[in-house]
Amino acid sequence: MASSRGPRLSGMQKQVLSLYRGFLRAARTKSPEERHKIESIVSEEFHRNSKEVDRKNFLYIEYLLRRGKKQLDQLRNPGTTGLSSLAVDLSKTNKINP
Amino acid sequence: MALRAAVLRHVRVPIQTVPKLHPWLGGSLLRFMSSHDDHITKDEVIDRVLSVVKDFPKVDPSKVTPDVHFQKDLGLDSLDNVEIVMALEEEFKLEIPDKEADKIDSCHLAIEYISNHPMAS
């Protein structure tokens, strides 16, 4: 079976992927223009963290997950049209990121 | 009283055994009743899955076959995998729950899942 070839996902990986999926789903509810912007920002952020963050740095990953969930809640609010307010938040924390 | 009993005996309806349907089978029965029945063939599913995967920016279209594994054969990561499954959801107008989506890591599994899904269109 092809499925057995894939790597097993840890609980934390599943949470990250689920959060990522949540962002992409939330992006679908916005205007096409905003959607595209949100998708590229979110994709960039997740891919960058997946390369830069040590996989064993659970505390930091948990922090990122919590922060991401809060941002996703904000994004899901129909009043939020885009990530502009959240992007500020992202860039701030990036500086702390070693 | 006798009349009531007689009537009741007469109109008694046998208890209908509701067959326990496999969720997908149940869905396909509902679909059978629906007015917009646009059933898709497995060949069509294969074609459309392959074209979604080929259109993915990081994928080399020449490597895409019905058996290709997203991460092992196409050099994608688990985040790209999520994006592909999301793109397939849109292509086939489905919503795939996280638990299922996490398992879909190859064209083969995507084709199986979608061609067995009653709501795929």
Side-chain angles (χ1 to χ4, degrees), chain B:
Chain B
M1 260 334 243
L3 179 70
R4 182 171 175 268
V7 169
L8 279 179
R9 200 172 308 127
H10 217 74
V11 299
R12 186 171 295 154
V13 185
I15 298 163
Q16 290 219 315
T17 46
V18 181
K20 276 209 170 165
L21 292 171
H22 186 275
W24 286 357
L25 184 62
S28 59
L29 282 179
L30 285 177
R31 250 177 75 81
F32 175 67
M33 307 290 201
S34 73
S35 54
H36 50 282
D37 190 65
D38 32 20
H39 182 71
I40 41 174
T41 63
K42 187 153 182 180
D43 283 343
E44 197 190 331
V45 171
I46 294 172
D47 279 352
R48 283 163 62 192
V49 166
L50 293 189
S51 73
V52 167
V53 177
K54 283 178 187 169
D55 282 346
F56 195 72
K58 296 177 193 169
V59 164
D60 173 359
S62 66
K63 286 188 184 163
V64 178
T65 69
D67 291 313
V68 88
H69 189 280
F70 300 145
Q71 296 181 51
K72 300 203 168 180
D73 303 324
L74 297 178
L76 300 177
D77 62 24
S78 54
L79 294 168
D80 300 320
N81 200 140
V82 167
E83 286 178 42
I84 285 194
V85 175
M86 297 278 297
L88 290 170
E89 280 191 335
E90 286 203 289
E91 169 66 25
F92 292 94
K93 300 185 183 67
L94 294 173
E95 184 145 333
I96 305 176
D98 281 15
K99 232 184 132 195
E100 306 293 333
D102 279 339
K103 291 183 203 150
I104 301 174
D105 57 5
S106 63
C107 278
H108 171 77
L109 284 181
I111 291 163
E112 285 304 306
Y113 182 85
I114 293 164
S115 57
N116 283 317
H117 198 296
M119 301 305 282
S121 63

